[in-house]
């Protein structure tokens, strides 16, 4: 019987497969069950718990690296998710209309409905940046609504206050002297707006000293402005709005109700005129910016909203001032705003800036999520891969696939849950730092509130759950091969690296590389946003392809760098080449995160730098003026420009207007509404003062109903001289314009160039950002130029507040409204991506070096000196860093070159300082990740002692 058992034992074991662990006794709880017995769920859990506890204790350093990556992942994802959801809940701050139950305004949104192929109709919208005004005829309707105590028209027009030395404030307290020249701004440099005294009750403002304005030459100042201007009740002050400056007597000092005597509004200064004078200065007597509705005592906001809405939607619905010019899909009627929505008419830039912030944050979040998945997957896969021998041995001694998968999953979950929880806690201060950075760089416009309701802080828990899920899936996939194959095959595969990567991985990597190069080729043939999208897709695809082809890239790098390493590195170089050749998969795992970091950081930095450099060069080339007139106030008036034009020696002059338009266009079969910055100038001064670089047509033909178009935009839309393009102005008016010229300097001047007569009627305050002057040829240099400059200064004395003359004016360059947000988000994204991938590089190299500890100790035992081993590690670090840098630069250069050729016609540009910083970061990270984990093994002089340690 004994002989029969010994004869049949191997065959029976082979037929039945490995016997499950944990069925018999013993101090460890590991044993074998009878042949053919299936492991129960309870036995699997006990075994997984035992194996996971032992592994976490044995591989503390390896799991510490994974822990660091998971903490950072949860931290970054939680912080950006908080910022994105805060922007979703954002709204304009309610200041000037805090005392109103409701505010009636025009619709500041333009819309378009499209039906993509095979899809349902979709409506898209874009916010308008200029005022959509309300006819004053609506006042009577609103005032007649039951429950309405008063309906008050409010106009907000920019006011420049000349700074001068004053004597006292309203309370008689001394004030520091104001500057001798310049303008006085509102709180924290905010603009100052004029209003009628009747509208002061909407805040509500109440008098703290003096009386209400009694005539056209009197004003009431808010307390904060009075302090800054150094003027009190009875004093005089020079103000300028949309006309020439005038001197006013301060009849009173006001402050918002419930605040101190010297406190104005949070983000704007206020000057109050008589009602008649305010309407005259605003320049649109038949319309008003908004109508504030005051409720009678005991009447709720809901009742006011319903009553006003019903009155406006009567038999003859009330319509906005530009209703007849708006697109057929826009709302021509009036809106009734309550609650937080009342801040929208106060801060027109808040809604567009919020939309831009949402788009940027969403794109960065998507990028961070993708990189986080790649980094987490790579780190955990490396941690599990270097334990392949251990896992194969467990299979050989009886562990079932289910037990093995459960053990690894338990290890990953134990580490991931703790790490994700810590990251979720740290996400709140990270969000605070991000928000503080946006505000400190003035990327968040004044008046945009980013609230943080209580439910928002549950967001990091969701991102923590996502982190745990990614980690768990990665761990399960990493041990799938070892758990699935037969124990003998698992032991064989664990003893050596496969001669070449799997066929599926190689084919997929090649396909991704081909797709990336094809996307880059598409970017060359496209323009504008289409080219940018294609280049971005090319970057992502190429990085994924490099990750899949990492072992092949490592082998290729070894073929190139192995020969000089052996010849110039001595024994250390020989050992480095041999080690890299023996395990190219390990080398590829170290190179992949470096490629990821270099490629993404280079693309983020170089794309913006290339466009800024190109636009800056075009802006300098476009400006042909000899002098410029600038101001610290809200802008320069038309009267000021006319006065400059009459100065002897001035050959040509023009003011420069800036606004935005909305363009309906098709992109890759989809219809989109795109908001674009535009510029307007006097056609008579082109190109003497401002040269757009006309290639077709003539800018002298610009005027009402015409437009000049940038060359790239004209090509993308198929426009030529005489073609018609419809632009939706900032006030909602959709106007068809005939193309009069096509120019090439669109990177600086924008895609559409208009005449001032065409753009000014559609602006809330048509003030020039600056005036450009070209001098006669005989006075353009020397004493003649100085004489003309003095004449211009004298002409400005009575026509402008805070204006100054600047020689050699800087280039003209349009800046999108969300450029400040984009710059800050780019810096944050680069910092996050760079730091994220640097941690990934450090963690991956640490895991690799921890797994090579026995290899290094064995080299010491067979006679290798510490210097030789250190030299080997340094050469390996140099190979990894150089390969990662070269491949990363190539991956970034392909889409960047395509994008640059498409948009600028030249090569991409990266500032040398930023390039040096990237190289230094890679060098330091790789060196630290290679040498520090083995520092203790190389410190001891006796290799036998080191091996026992």
């Amino acid at each position: 019987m004994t002989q029969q058992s010994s004869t049949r034992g191997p065959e029976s074991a082979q037929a039945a497969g490995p016997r499950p662990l944990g069925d018999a006794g013993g101090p460890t709880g590991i044993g074998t069950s009878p042949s053919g017995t299936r492991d129960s769920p309870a036995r699997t859990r006990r075994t997984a718990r035992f194996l996971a506890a032992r592994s976490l204790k044995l591989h503390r350093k390896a799991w510490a690296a994974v822990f660091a990556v998971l903490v950072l992942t949860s931290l970054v994802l939680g912080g950006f998710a908080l910022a994105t959801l805060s922007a979703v809940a954002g709204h304009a701050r309610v200041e000037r209309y805090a005392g109103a139950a409701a505010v009636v305004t025009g619709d500041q949104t333009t819309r378009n409905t499209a039906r993509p192929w095979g899809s349902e109709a979709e409506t898209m919208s874009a916010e308008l940046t200029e005022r959509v005004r309300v006819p004053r005829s609506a006042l009577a309707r609103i005032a007649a609504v039951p429950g309405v105590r008063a309906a008050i028209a409010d106009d907000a027009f920019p006011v420049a206050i000349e700074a001068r030395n004053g004597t006292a404030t309203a309370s008689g307290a001394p004030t520091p002297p104001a500057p001798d020249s310049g303008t006085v701004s509102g709180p924290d440099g905010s603009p100052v707006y004029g209003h009628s005294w009747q509208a002061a009750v909407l805040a509500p403002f109440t008098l703290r000293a003096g009386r209400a304005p009694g005539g056209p030459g009197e004003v009431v100042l808010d307390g904060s402005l009075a302090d800054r201007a150094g003027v009190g009740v009875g004093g005089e002050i020079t103000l300028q709005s949309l006309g020439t400056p005038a001197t006013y007597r301060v009849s009173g000092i006001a402050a918002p109700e419930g605040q101190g005597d010297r406190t104005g509004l949070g983000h704007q200064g206020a000057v109050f005129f008589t009602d008649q004078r305010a309407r005259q200065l605003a320049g649109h007597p038949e319309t008003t910016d908004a109508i504030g509705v005051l409720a009678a005592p005991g009447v709720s906001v809901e009742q006011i909203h319903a009553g006003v809405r019903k009155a406006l939607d009567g038999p003859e619905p009330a319509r906005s001032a530009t209703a007849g010019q708006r697109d057929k899909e826009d709302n021509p009627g009036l809106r009734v705003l309550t609650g937080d929505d009342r801040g929208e008419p106060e801060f027109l830039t808040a809604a567009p800036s919020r939309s831009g912030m949402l788009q940027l944050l969403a794109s960065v979040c998507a990028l961070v999520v993708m990189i986080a998945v790649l980094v987490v997957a790579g780190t955990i896969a490396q941690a599990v891969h270097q334990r392949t021998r251990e896992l194969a041995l467990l299979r050989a001694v009886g562990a079932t696939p289910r037990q093995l998968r459960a053990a690894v999953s338990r290890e990953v979950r134990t580490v991931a849950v703790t790490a994700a929880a810590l990251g979720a806690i740290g996400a709140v201060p990270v969000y605070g730092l991000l928000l503080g950075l946006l505000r400190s760089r003035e990327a968040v416009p004044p008046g945009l509130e980013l609230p943080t309701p209580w439910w928002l802080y549950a967001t990091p828990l969701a991102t923590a759950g996502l982190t745990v899920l990614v980690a768990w899936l990665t761990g399960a996939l990493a041990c799938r091969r070892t758990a699935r194959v037969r124990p003998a095959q698992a032991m064989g595969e664990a003893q050596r690296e496969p001669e070449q990567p799997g066929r599926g991985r190689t084919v997929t990597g090649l396909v991704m590389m081909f797709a990336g190069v094809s996307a880059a080729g598409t970017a060359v043939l496209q323009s504008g946003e289409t080219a940018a999208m294609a280049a971005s897709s090319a970057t992502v695809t190429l990085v994924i392809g490099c990750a899949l082809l990492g072992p092949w890239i490592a082998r290729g790098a070894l073929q190139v760098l192995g020969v000089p390493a052996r010849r110039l590195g001595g024994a250390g170089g020989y050992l480095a080449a041999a080690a890299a050749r023996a395990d190219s998969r390990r080398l590829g795992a170290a190179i992949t995160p470096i490629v990821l970091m270099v490629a993404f950081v280079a693309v983020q930095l170089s794309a913006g730098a290339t466009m800024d450099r190109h636009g800056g060069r075009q802006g300098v080339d476009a400006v042909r003026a000899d002098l410029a007139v600038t101001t610290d106030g809200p802008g320069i008036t038309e009267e000021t420009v006319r006065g400059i034009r009459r100065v002897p020696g001035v050959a040509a002059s023009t003011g420069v207007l800036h606004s935005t338009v909305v363009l309906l266009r098709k992109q890759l079969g989809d219809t989109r509404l795109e908001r674009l910055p535009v510029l307007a100038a006097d056609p008579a001064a082109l190109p003497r003062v401002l040269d757009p670089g006309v290639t077709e047509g003539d800018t002298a033909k610009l005027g009402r109903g015409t437009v000049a178009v940038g060359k790239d935009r004209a090509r993308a839309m198929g426009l030529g001289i005489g073609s018609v393009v419809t632009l939706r102005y900032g006030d909602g008016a959709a106007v068809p314009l005939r193309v009069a010229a096509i120019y090439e300097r669109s990177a600086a001047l924008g895609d559409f160039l208009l005449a001032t007569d065409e753009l000014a009627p559609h602006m809330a305050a048509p003030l020039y950002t600056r005036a450009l002057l070209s001098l006669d040829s005989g006075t353009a240099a020397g004493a003649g130029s100085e004489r003309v400059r003095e004449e211009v200064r004298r002409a400005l004395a009575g026509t402008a507040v805070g204006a100054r003359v600047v020689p050699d004016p800087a280039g003209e360059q349009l800046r999108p409204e969300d450029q400040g947000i984009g710059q800050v988000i780019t810096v944050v994204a680069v910092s996050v991506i760079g730091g994220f991938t640097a941690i990934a590089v450090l963690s991956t190299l640490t895991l690799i070096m921890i797994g090579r500890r026995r290899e290094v100790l064995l080299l010491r035992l067979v006679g290798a000196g510490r210097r030789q081993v250190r030299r080997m590690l340094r050469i390996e670090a140099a190979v990894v860093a150089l390969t990662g840098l070269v491949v990363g630069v190539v991956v970034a250069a392909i889409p960047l070159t395509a994008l640059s050729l498409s948009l600028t016609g030249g090569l991409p540009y990266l500032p040398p300082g930023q390039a040096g910083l990237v190289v230094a970061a890679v060098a330091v990270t790789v060196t630290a990740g290679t040498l520090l984990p083995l520092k203790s093994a190389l410190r001891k002089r006796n290799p036998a002692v080191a091996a026992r340690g």
Side-chain angles (χ1 to χ4, degrees):
M1 183 173 182
T2 304
Q3 184 177 2
Q4 182 181 5
S5 176
S6 63
T7 303
R8 296 181 56 187
E11 289 81 354
S12 301
Q14 185 175 3
R19 294 174 179 175
L21 296 177
D23 192 58
T28 63
I30 298 180
T32 57
S33 64
S35 177
T37 303
R38 293 179 58 85
D39 53 328
S40 65
R43 185 185 304 118
T44 298
R45 286 193 296 270
R46 289 197 305 270
T47 306
R49 186 163 49 247
F50 169 76
L51 293 176
R54 294 298 299 269
S55 176
L56 289 172
K57 184 177 180 181
L58 182 63
H59 302 288
R60 289 191 302 272
K61 293 182 179 179
W63 285 116
V66 175
F67 182 85
V69 171
L70 293 175
V71 168
L72 185 62
T73 301
S74 179
L75 186 104
V76 171
L77 292 181
F80 272 93
L82 280 172
T84 304
L85 291 180
S86 179
V88 171
H91 58 82
R93 182 177 177 179
V94 182
E95 293 182 353
R96 199 167 71 243
Y97 299 131
V103 180
V104 178
T105 67
D107 190 356
Q108 292 287 151
T109 304
T110 184
R111 300 170 180 83
N112 182 74
T113 301
R115 187 184 298 275
W117 292 343
S119 303
E120 297 182 356
E122 298 179 358
T123 300
M124 61 205 72
S125 62
E127 291 78 10
L128 301 173
T129 58
E130 302 290 350
R131 185 78 61 182
V132 180
R133 293 194 171 97
V134 180
R136 286 184 178 268
S137 58
L139 279 168
R141 286 196 192 188
I142 299 172
V145 173
V148 172
R149 176 161 57 94
I152 301 171
D154 179 42
D155 293 312
F157 47 92
V159 173
I161 304 176
E162 183 178 8
R164 62 170 62 181
N165 291 330
T167 55
T169 64
S171 61
T175 60
D180 293 332
S181 62
T183 60
V184 177
S185 61
D188 300 326
S190 61
V192 178
Y193 292 99
H195 308 273
S196 68
W197 176 245
Q198 184 184 14
V201 71
L202 298 176
F205 273 92
T206 56
L207 285 171
R208 295 292 186 263
R211 56 177 175 79
E218 293 183 344
V219 295
V220 171
L221 298 180
D222 77 49
S224 62
L225 281 180
D227 286 346
R228 289 180 177 82
V231 64
V233 175
E236 291 187 345
I237 190 169
T238 300
L239 306 176
Q240 182 180 17
S241 181
L242 303 182
T244 56
T247 300
Y248 296 84
R249 184 174 298 278
V250 178
S251 66
I253 306 295
E257 191 173 284
Q259 299 187 23
D261 289 347
R262 293 294 168 266
T263 304
L265 293 176
H267 291 90
Q268 50 189 308
V271 179
F272 297 100
F273 301 82
T274 61
D275 297 343
Q276 184 178 0
R277 182 60 173 163
R279 291 179 66 174
Q280 180 183 359
L281 293 176
H284 45 90
E286 301 302 322
T287 60
T288 184
D289 290 351
I291 297 176
V293 182
L294 300 179
V299 180
S300 67
V301 173
E302 291 76 13
Q303 289 175 308
I304 291 293
H305 182 276
V308 173
R309 185 73 273 166
K310 182 179 179 180
L312 295 176
D313 295 337
E316 295 183 6
R319 294 155 60 91
S320 63
T322 57
Q325 296 177 284
R326 301 197 66 166
D327 186 82
K328 61 181 180 180
E329 295 192 26
D330 286 358
N331 174 24
L334 302 178
R335 299 178 65 198
V336 182
L337 308 177
T338 59
D340 291 336
D341 293 339
R342 292 172 298 168
E344 292 182 15
E346 296 189 46
F347 302 99
L348 293 182
T349 60
S353 298
R354 173 176 165 271
S355 299
M357 180 183 294
L358 271 175
Q359 293 177 1
L360 289 170
L361 285 173
S363 63
V364 172
C365 281
L367 185 61
V368 169
V369 168
M370 187 197 70
I371 293 177
V373 170
L374 291 176
V375 168
V376 169
T379 306
I380 294 180
Q382 182 62 33
V384 176
H385 171 70
Q386 70 180 34
R387 294 175 50 205
T388 303
R389 295 181 183 180
E390 175 187 326
L391 298 176
L393 181 60
L394 288 174
R395 289 281 286 120
V397 299
T400 64
R402 180 183 297 177
Q403 290 174 335
L404 210 61
R405 289 193 296 268
V408 172
S409 296
R410 189 177 185 87
E411 291 178 54
V412 174
R413 285 200 308 270
T414 301
V415 175
V417 169
T418 306
L422 288 177
I425 295 173
V428 176
V430 166
Y431 160 69
L433 290 174
L434 177 59
L435 197 59
L437 180 62
L438 287 170
R439 286 173 174 161
S440 65
R441 299 294 181 88
E442 298 181 352
V444 178
L448 177 59
E449 289 289 308
L450 299 176
T452 53
W454 63 267
W455 55 265
L456 195 67
Y457 293 102
T459 304
L461 298 178
T463 57
L466 176 63
T467 303
V468 173
L469 178 62
V470 171
W472 175 73
L473 289 175
T474 303
L477 293 175
C479 69
R480 182 168 174 264
R481 172 70 181 174
T482 304
R484 186 177 56 182
V485 300
R486 292 177 178 273
Q489 184 178 354
M491 287 293 295
E493 292 181 354
Q495 300 304 316
R496 58 182 178 85
E497 180 195 12
E499 295 183 0
Q500 56 185 354
R503 182 178 301 176
R505 174 176 180 172
T506 302
V507 172
T508 304
L510 292 174
V511 170
M512 297 299 287
M513 296 295 287
F514 176 79
V517 174
S518 300
T522 302
V524 176
L525 302 176
Q526 299 296 327
S527 61
E529 189 175 351
T530 305
M533 293 175 59
S536 177
S537 300
T539 304
V540 174
T541 308
L542 288 171
V543 167
I544 295 175
C546 288
L548 294 172
L549 298 178
W552 289 107
I553 294 174
R555 292 189 181 189
L558 182 62
Q559 294 294 328
V560 176
L561 301 176
V563 175
R566 285 191 296 268
R567 291 182 178 179
L568 303 178
Y574 175 81
L575 291 174
R581 185 172 58 251
D583 199 346
S584 61
R585 178 176 179 177
R586 179 178 62 197
L587 189 63
I591 291 172
T592 297
I594 301 175
V595 173
L596 180 72
M597 178 175 69
V598 173
F600 276 108
V601 170
V603 168
Q604 291 289 332
L605 294 176
S606 180
T610 300
M611 293 306 300
D612 288 344
R613 188 187 193 199
H614 179 62
R617 287 178 173 178
Q618 284 194 356
V620 171
D621 295 338
V623 174
R624 302 294 178 86
D626 300 303
L627 300 175
V629 176
T630 62
T631 179
D632 297 328
I636 299 172
T637 65
E638 176 63 25
E639 287 82 356
T640 301
V641 176
R642 291 174 184 171
I644 295 171
R645 195 173 292 137
R646 291 191 293 266
V647 172
V650 174
S653 67
T654 180
V656 180
L657 286 179
H658 290 270
S659 185
T660 63
V661 297
V662 176
L663 175 68
L664 177 64
R665 65 181 181 87
K666 289 188 176 181
Q667 175 183 319
L668 302 177
D670 292 334
T671 304
R672 299 192 59 184
L673 287 173
E674 183 178 8
R675 188 170 51 250
L676 301 168
V678 294
L679 179 148
D682 184 0
L686 303 176
R688 180 76 183 268
V689 176
L690 193 65
D691 184 10
V694 176
T695 58
E696 297 181 50
D698 188 359
T699 54
K701 297 180 180 179
L702 283 177
R704 299 300 296 269
T706 59
V707 65
V709 184
K711 182 176 62 176
D712 294 336
R713 179 67 67 175
R715 183 185 64 179
M717 298 181 64
L719 299 176
I721 303 300
S723 300
V724 176
V725 58
T726 299
L727 299 181
R728 305 185 189 189
Y729 288 110
D731 64 349
V735 179
L737 302 172
R738 182 176 51 83
V739 178
I742 295 176
Y743 56 94
E744 60 181 357
R745 294 192 175 116
S746 57
L749 305 182
D751 289 331
F752 298 99
L753 179 62
L754 299 160
T756 53
D757 292 342
E758 174 62 34
L759 183 61
H762 302 282
M763 296 180 63
L767 294 172
Y768 299 113
T769 56
R770 65 174 177 171
L772 298 175
L773 291 73
S774 180
L775 306 184
D776 291 333
S777 57
T779 60
S785 174
E786 184 63 30
R787 177 182 58 79
V788 174
R789 193 181 309 173
E790 290 300 325
E791 291 290 337
V792 172
R793 288 195 183 99
R794 280 194 289 269
L796 293 173
T799 61
V801 169
R804 58 185 180 274
V805 183
V806 179
D808 300 323
E812 186 70 33
Q813 186 172 3
L814 284 181
R815 297 189 178 275
E817 60 200 14
D818 57 354
Q819 184 173 22
I821 299 175
Q823 290 176 343
V824 174
I825 295 296
T826 298
V827 171
V828 172
V830 168
S831 302
V832 169
I833 293 171
F836 212 115
T837 48
I839 293 294
V841 172
L842 194 60
S843 301
T844 302
L845 288 173
T846 300
L847 288 171
I848 292 173
M849 292 303 141
I850 291 173
R852 295 182 61 191
R853 180 182 175 87
R854 293 183 181 179
E855 172 189 330
V856 171
L857 293 177
L858 180 61
L859 288 174
R860 295 285 313 281
L861 287 172
V862 298
R866 287 186 299 170
R867 291 185 178 180
Q868 292 175 327
V869 175
R870 286 198 185 97
R871 190 175 184 85
M872 176 193 74
L873 295 176
R874 292 192 186 104
I875 293 175
E876 287 186 21
V879 170
V880 170
L882 185 59
T883 304
L885 280 170
V886 171
V887 176
V889 168
V890 171
V891 169
I894 293 174
L896 281 174
T897 302
L899 180 64
S900 182
L901 289 174
S902 172
L903 300 182
T904 70
L907 295 177
Y909 169 75
L910 181 63
Q914 296 178 358
L917 186 62
V918 173
V919 173
V922 171
V924 171
T925 304
V926 172
T927 302
T930 303
L931 298 180
L932 292 182
L934 297 177
K935 185 177 180 180
S936 60
L938 297 175
R939 186 186 299 120
K940 298 179 180 179
R941 295 181 179 275
N942 190 338
V945 175
R948 289 196 300 272

